[in-house]
Amino acid sequence: MRATVMFGAGDVRIENVPDARIIEPTDAVVTVTRACICGSDLWPYKTMEHSDTGRVMGHEAIGIVEAVGPDVCTIKPGNLVVIPFAFSDGTCVFCREGLQTSCIHGGFFGTTEVAGAQAEAVRIPQADGTLFVLPVEKDDALMPSLLTLSDVMGTGHHAAVIAKVGPGKSVAVVGDGAVGLCGVIAARRLRAEQIIILGRHPARIELAKQFGATDVVSERGDEAIERVRELTDGFGVHSVLECVGLEQAMHTAISIARPGGAVGRVGLPQEEVIPGSEPAFYNNVTVGGGPAPVRAYIDELLPDVLEGRIHPGRVFDRIIELDEVPNGYRAMNERKAIKVMVEP
């Protein structure tokens, strides 16, 4: 089968790889009908050291179940399913607590251990706990929004939950990528009163406004901090969604949180140390977050997608075939596309 293989920084190719197959009795094999490129895929695209074997990329997809292992009980061939970016058994102590990204039998797609979903098909470990069956047909018009439930919509929602977004609160979203834009949707969905988007790309800012952003801050660094404070009577916001992962973004996030506020960090960290620990301490700012347990959020978010209350699929501004995936990486890396959807 064909799949996207990254061999090093900037080196993405479509290669023939061994067919996805059942290995463990709890596995399923899914034919991919929609996949996408994630902002987090751009970090190895920029920094990955050369590998002779490469890595099959991709961790967000929708597809049709083709085969299941003998121990799979709830997933059947022919099911149309969402594939969350992390696989999980659904039964361990952490899964029962809604933290599937810490499943003791789980892991992540698109790693050196488990092949990714930017491919014609993908093996799904722990199929019963991982896959979510969709109540629509494979060509439903809502497919782009349903695809976001595999990662970016659930991740934006996770940031909002961790940041304690709620009715009447002020919110700042640091980052205007797909996750940040979905964070705006999440903040509005949770009835925030003021939603400030920090970004500077006109098309993304316009989409953020359509999603519910009330204010825009295009400055960076100290100027951005000062501007957010001007918009919040000098206090800062109740909730900050940090959707970038760079040191400056995290410093800004902590600096614009009001005393007693909270920061939900979902941007993949690029440094080992969290900046701003001293102001966070003295201002009693709660800092939390991590890989979003998107599997736990699908039940909550799916009705809003199906009934048209939210439209996160609008973050996809380019659709390509599998052979064009290297160009899709390039477009996202050069910020010529917000998020690229792949139709194998």
Side-chain angles (χ1 to χ4, degrees), residues 15-245:
E15 299 279 299
N16 288 315
V17 302
D19 289 347
R21 62 185 180 88
I22 302 293
I23 297 176
E24 301 292 339
T26 52
D27 288 350
V29 171
V30 174
T31 296
V32 177
T33 59
R34 301 285 195 290
C36 49
I37 302 171
C38 184
S40 63
D41 292 333
L42 299 181
W43 296 122
Y45 185 74
K46 296 174 181 177
T47 63
M48 179 178 170
E49 294 184 3
H50 176 76
S51 165
D52 290 334
T53 56
R55 170 176 149 195
V56 178
M57 299 296 294
H59 52 259
E60 308 157 275
I62 284 176
I64 297 173
V65 178
E66 296 298 327
V68 298
D71 290 352
V72 177
C73 301
T74 63
I75 302 299
K76 309 296 182 186
N79 287 158
L80 180 69
V81 293
V82 173
I83 305 171
F85 69 83
F87 60 88
S88 54
D89 63 20
T91 60
C92 82
V93 58
F94 298 113
C95 287
R96 293 197 303 270
E97 293 174 356
L99 195 61
Q100 287 91 337
T101 45
S102 293
C103 175
I104 60 176
H105 299 119
F108 299 91
F109 293 101
T111 64
T112 54
E113 293 80 23
V114 180
Q118 290 167 11
E120 293 179 319
V122 61
R123 167 184 167 249
I124 309 296
Q126 306 294 343
D128 278 330
T130 301
L131 299 176
F132 190 101
V133 178
L134 291 170
V136 298
E137 299 299 322
K138 68 175 183 177
D139 294 321
D140 193 283
L142 292 173
M143 203 54 60
S145 286
L146 294 169
L147 179 56
T148 68
L149 300 180
S150 66
D151 187 347
V152 289
M153 186 60 230
T155 296
H157 177 71
H158 186 56
V161 170
I162 296 298
K164 304 176 184 178
V165 175
K169 288 191 174 182
S170 55
V171 178
V173 179
V174 180
D176 58 6
V179 171
L181 292 169
C182 287
V184 173
I185 294 174
R188 183 178 184 184
R189 181 178 173 276
L190 295 171
R191 299 168 57 198
E193 182 174 311
Q194 182 182 33
I195 304 171
I196 304 169
I197 180 74
L198 279 72
R200 55 175 58 192
H201 295 82
R204 300 174 186 220
I205 294 305
E206 179 57 33
L207 190 54
K209 290 178 180 178
Q210 295 173 24
F211 283 161
T214 59
D215 300 277
V216 177
V217 170
S218 58
E219 296 87 349
R220 290 183 178 176
D222 290 343
E223 292 181 352
I225 294 167
E226 182 60 29
R227 180 64 182 138
V228 171
R229 289 177 178 164
E230 289 176 0
L231 292 168
T232 54
D233 298 323
F235 297 129
V237 296
H238 297 94
S239 305
V240 186
L241 284 57
E242 194 283 295
C243 305
V244 179

Side-chain angles (χ1 to χ4, degrees), residues 174 198 220-221 224-225 240 247-257:
V174 180
L198 279 72
R220 290 183 178 176
I225 294 167
V240 186
E247 181 179 7
Q248 184 185 67
M250 193 62 205
H251 174 74
T252 297
I254 290 175
S255 299
I256 61 178

